[in-house]
């Protein structure tokens, strides 16, 4: 599941819209940190409160920079839900991306096969998965909607 990391000026500060969205979205894990130096450097934080949606497989954020935290729970839910990453191939992801059929957007699929333990330990595997994800973006731009990419 993607991680939503909320960055606040004080880790004890509570944001009700974040709690509300975290309770409704079972597709993401939520966490909160203070704007410590390492957080600001790692995620390029300029202003708080903000959030970053991170892909746990590649350890990269969806957007290039943190997004400012909106005061509306519905808006935050929509923004967080828009962050789509390269999914692991399973029944749910195949149903979501392909409507459970091998046609239309899934006339062709590309699969990056990697042992799951390698993504947690091996930087080369994560780099290869990042390159595969970027290649899939290029293929979609040029080939259109006839191909979907997954990792397995």
């Amino acid at each position: 599941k993607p991680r939503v990391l909320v960055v606040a000026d004080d880790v004890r500060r509570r944001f009700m819209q974040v709690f509300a969205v975290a309770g409704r979205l079972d597709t993401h894990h939520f966490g909160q940190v203070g704007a410590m130096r390492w957080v600001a450097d790692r995620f390029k934080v300029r202003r708080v409160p903000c959030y970053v949606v991170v892909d746990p497989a590649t350890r990269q954020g969806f957007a290039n920079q943190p997004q400012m935290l909106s005061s509306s729970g519905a808006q935050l839910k929509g923004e967080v839900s828009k962050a789509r990453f390269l999914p692991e191939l399973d029944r749910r992801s195949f149903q979501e991306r392909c409507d459970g059929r091998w046609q239309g957007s899934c006339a062709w699929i590309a699969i990056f096969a990697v042992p799951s333990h390698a993504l947690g330990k091996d930087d080369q595997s994560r780099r290869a998965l990042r390159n595969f994800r970027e290649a899939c973006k290029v293929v979609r731009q040029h080939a259109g909607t006839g191909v979907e990419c997954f990792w397995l």
Side-chain angles (χ1 to χ4, degrees):
K1 293 181 180 183
R3 277 52 166 167
V4 180
L5 184 64
V6 177
V7 182
D9 57 345
D10 184 348
V11 73
R12 295 170 293 192
R13 175 171 265 160
R14 295 194 173 104
F15 300 98
M16 291 311 295
Q17 71 273 30
V18 174
F19 282 108
V21 172
R24 284 183 264 160
L25 275 180
D26 63 345
T27 56
H28 294 69
H29 291 295
F30 282 75
Q32 181 172 321
V33 295
M36 297 171 281
R37 181 85 178 155
W38 73 267
V39 174
D41 291 345
R42 170 65 176 90
F43 296 106
K44 302 175 188 152
V45 173
R46 301 280 184 257
R47 296 178 0 191
V48 293
C50 61
Y51 70 93
V52 180
V53 183
V54 179
D55 180 2
T58 62
R59 296 184 181 170
Q60 287 186 320
F62 177 72
N64 291 336
Q65 295 188 10
Q67 306 300 305
M68 293 306 296
L69 192 61
S70 63
S71 59
S72 162
Q75 183 179 356
L76 177 62
K77 182 180 177 188
E79 291 169 356
V80 167
S81 298
K82 277 193 303 188
R84 293 187 52 156
F85 295 104
L86 187 67
E88 181 176 9
L89 181 59
D90 59 17
R91 288 177 197 244
R92 184 182 50 80
S93 64
F94 184 71
Q95 186 63 38
E96 285 176 5
R97 297 277 174 114
C98 303
D99 294 326
R101 299 178 307 192
W102 294 99
Q103 57 189 10
S105 68
C106 290
W108 289 91
I109 66 166
I111 297 175
F112 180 81
V114 60
S116 58
H117 71 276
L119 292 176
K121 298 176 184 173
D122 188 9
D123 283 338
Q124 288 181 328
S125 296
R126 277 195 305 279
R127 260 193 303 265
L129 182 57
R130 290 177 194 152
N131 291 338
F132 178 75
R133 183 187 66 192
E134 294 305 315
C136 286
K137 287 180 185 177
V138 171
V139 167
R140 269 194 220 103
Q141 289 171 351
H142 295 290
T145 60
V147 64
E148 278 293 336
C149 297
F150 299 92
W151 68 273
L152 181 63

